[in-house]
Amino acid sequence: MSRYPTLRSCGYELDRTIGTGGFGKVKLATHTLTGEKVAIKIMDKTKLGKDLPRVKLEISALKNLSHPNICKLYQVIETESHCYVVMEYCSGGELFDHIVEKSRLSEMESRMFFRQIISAVSYLHDNGYAHRDLKPENVLLDREQNLKIIDFGLCAKPQGGMDSLLLTSCGSPTYAAPELIQGVKYHGSEVDIWSMGVILYALLCGCLPFESDNIDELFKKILRGKYVEPGWLSSGSKRLLRRMLCVDPLKRIRISELINDPWVRLGFGCPPSTKTNDIDQCKDMECLEAISQHCDIDKEIIWSRLSKWKYDSETATYLLLLNKKKNGCPVVLKKKEVPNQQPELII
Ligand SMILES: Cn1cc(Br)cc1C(=O)Nc1[nH]nc2c1CN(C(=O)N[C@H](CN1CCCC1)c1ccccc1)C21CC1
């Protein structure tokens, strides 16, 4: 018997565990009605304690975000004891492992990945969010090697907008900006730029700019902002890294400059896209028709419920049908299982 009967009754068939973290695990699952694979973050609320607000924060952030390079939320299921967050399944694993596998990436492959991170982060900042925990482990790949940013449990949506200052020191020290580890007030957007610089360094060099087993040593290195520039780095990438890994946040490159940086545009001739195409929020008649036929309810009534974006089972079915359509699969739902009828007794 499945350890999580709730998920089975909510229309998911559980598969293997694909991740374990501080507060919970992630299991691969299949959405029965569409046959689409999903990743379900399972958290035991009784063990979350002070981390519960982080889970709530991540869920409320993900409900407001829809971008091709941000891992999509499909459904939230809450019981007395557990919180289940059903999300997009990224079958390419972590960017971190991809870099380790290839020891380091070419400039062009680094640029291809980095432009997707710029696109996602500029969308985040435009919507008033700072991620604050950007690192290669929080960047996954889907099967087409598109990047997907995850783990918004430390993100911030400053009350006074992105120009107001934050104070909470959070995130992983290795990727944390000098002002963040100093415990002084900082701008969320500026600490994200620093972390993106650490990721770009990892892409191009296959190692980290600031490393030490001793946390004090690590902090000293970050505050000094000095790192090795391997011989193979082009002058354009060295210049960009210096502008991102700049200790003084006021002199650090801004996202608006990053988008137009010559190294970022090289070979593409245009800046990374900054507006999401927001396909998920638009009304797709073919998907509505499939749901309408399946539950025999009028399409407009279905849409009136869907457009409230409650991230319930209907939202999940609609978004996963959209996924199927985007991947060129037929937009159909599995037939409802007819309860096994007793054979008629012929008297
Ligand atoms: C590693 N991997 C290898 C393959 Br193949 C697929 C995956 C994989 O994790 N795919 C995947 N798709 N969608 C997701 C995942 C993992 N995943 C995650 O949210 N994974 C994070 C990983 N964090 C990185 C640093 C700390 C924890 C996680 C969070 C809480 C508990 C366990 C894992 C989601 C749900 C969003």
Side-chain angles (χ1 to χ4, degrees):
M1 181 60 187
S2 155
R3 272 201 61 199
Y4 305 102
T6 306
L7 288 173
R8 194 178 170 81
S9 63
C10 288
Y12 295 97
E13 284 300 325
L14 281 186
D15 195 318
R16 68 184 190 284
T17 298
I18 50 177
T20 49
F23 42 93
K25 64 172 77 167
V26 174
K27 289 184 87 72
L28 175 61
T30 300
H31 180 253
T32 314
L33 272 183
T34 59
E36 289 288 283
K37 292 214 177 307
V38 294
I40 304 182
K41 242 168 147 175
I42 300 172
M43 289 159 279
D44 180 336
K45 289 185 343 187
T46 60
K47 293 180 187 155
L48 276 177
K50 63 176 179 31
D51 280 328
L52 185 61
R54 273 180 64 174
V55 173
K56 300 283 184 196
L57 177 78
E58 172 168 46
I59 291 170
S60 67
L62 288 171
K63 284 182 176 178
N64 293 317
L65 298 169
S66 174
H67 184 277
N69 299 117
I70 290 176
C71 195
K72 193 79 191 99
L73 172 70
Y74 295 134
Q75 184 175 359
V76 180
I77 302 165
E78 212 164 337
T79 65
E80 276 291 296
S81 59
H82 284 82
C83 178
Y84 303 99
V85 183
V86 184
M87 296 183 72
E88 179 177 4
Y89 174 56
C90 307
S91 60
E94 291 179 14
L95 175 63
F96 194 87
D97 296 331
H98 184 78
I99 299 170
V100 168
E101 244 168 65
K102 303 184 86 170
S103 79
R104 62 184 167 94
L105 308 186
S106 68
E107 280 222 358
M108 199 39 165
E109 190 177 7
S110 302
R111 183 176 294 115
M112 185 198 57
F113 282 139
F114 195 60
R115 284 170 61 96
Q116 294 178 58
I117 295 176
I118 294 172
S119 176
V121 174
S122 87
Y123 167 78
L124 262 183
H125 292 178
D126 285 352
N127 283 274
Y129 287 95
H131 187 283
R132 298 198 299 179
D133 193 20
L134 288 172
K135 54 188 177 183
E137 299 92 319
N138 282 348
V139 179
L140 301 179
L141 299 169
D142 70 5
R143 61 173 171 209
E144 279 100 29
Q145 300 247 311
N146 296 311
L147 287 194
K148 304 283 178 180
I149 294 180
I150 60 169
D151 281 354
F152 286 77
L154 290 174
C155 76
K157 186 175 181 112
Q159 300 297 338
M162 291 304 278
D163 292 336
S164 60
L165 289 163
L166 296 162
L167 185 60
T168 323
S169 180
C170 56
S172 323
T174 308
Y175 306 91
E179 65 270 23
L180 202 146
I181 61 175
Q182 279 177 308
V184 298
K185 290 193 173 199
Y186 61 87
H187 286 112
S189 52
E190 291 165 355
V191 301
D192 280 348
I193 294 285
W194 174 277
S195 303
M196 287 164 74
V198 176
I199 291 176
L200 179 60
Y201 187 95
L203 288 166
L204 289 165
C205 306
C207 59
L208 295 167
F210 312 106
E211 267 186 311
S212 172
D213 298 336
N214 174 298
I215 191 82
D216 295 329
E217 264 311 296
L218 175 63
F219 279 13
K220 274 188 202 141
K221 288 183 177 179
I222 292 170
L223 294 174
R224 279 184 63 236
K226 297 286 175 245
Y227 53 87
V228 170
E229 289 184 333
W232 60 75
L233 284 181
S234 68
S235 54
S237 50
K238 277 190 269 196
R239 192 182 52 78
L240 177 55
L241 282 168
R242 284 180 209 145
R243 298 192 68 199
M244 299 188 80
L245 297 175
C246 174
V247 172
D248 180 350
L250 297 175
K251 292 182 185 150
R252 199 173 300 152
I253 192 171
R254 314 198 62 75
I255 195 91
S256 51
E257 299 166 292
L258 187 54
I259 285 165
N260 290 303
D261 180 85
W263 186 89
V264 171
R265 299 176 64 130
L266 192 64
F268 288 81
C270 62
S273 65
T274 51
K275 295 279 169 265
T276 176
N277 45 15
D278 230 7
I279 47 156
D280 301 340
Q281 291 353 70
C282 73
K283 191 175 180 179
D284 181 284
M285 296 316 280
E286 195 181 357
C287 293
L288 282 178
E289 180 57 40
I291 296 173
S292 165
Q293 280 179 13
H294 184 268
C295 46
D296 195 18
I297 297 174
D298 176 73
K299 282 202 290 292
E300 290 314 314
I301 295 174
I302 300 270
W303 181 249
S304 69
R305 295 195 316 217
L306 274 173
S307 49
K308 293 186 176 66
W309 299 107
K310 291 186 285 189
Y311 288 89
D312 56 10
S313 58
E314 278 194 344
T315 305
T317 302
Y318 179 73
L319 292 178
L320 287 164
L321 269 179
L322 265 178
N323 254 14
K324 281 184 82 130
K325 183 171 182 175
K326 211 169 38 175
N327 297 332
C329 303
V331 181
V332 289
L333 293 173
K334 299 246 182 329
K335 290 270 170 284
K336 269 183 181 162
E337 275 170 24
V338 179
N340 52 344
Q341 285 148 337
Q342 296 303 326
E344 274 175 42
L345 287 177
I346 312 293
I347 297 173

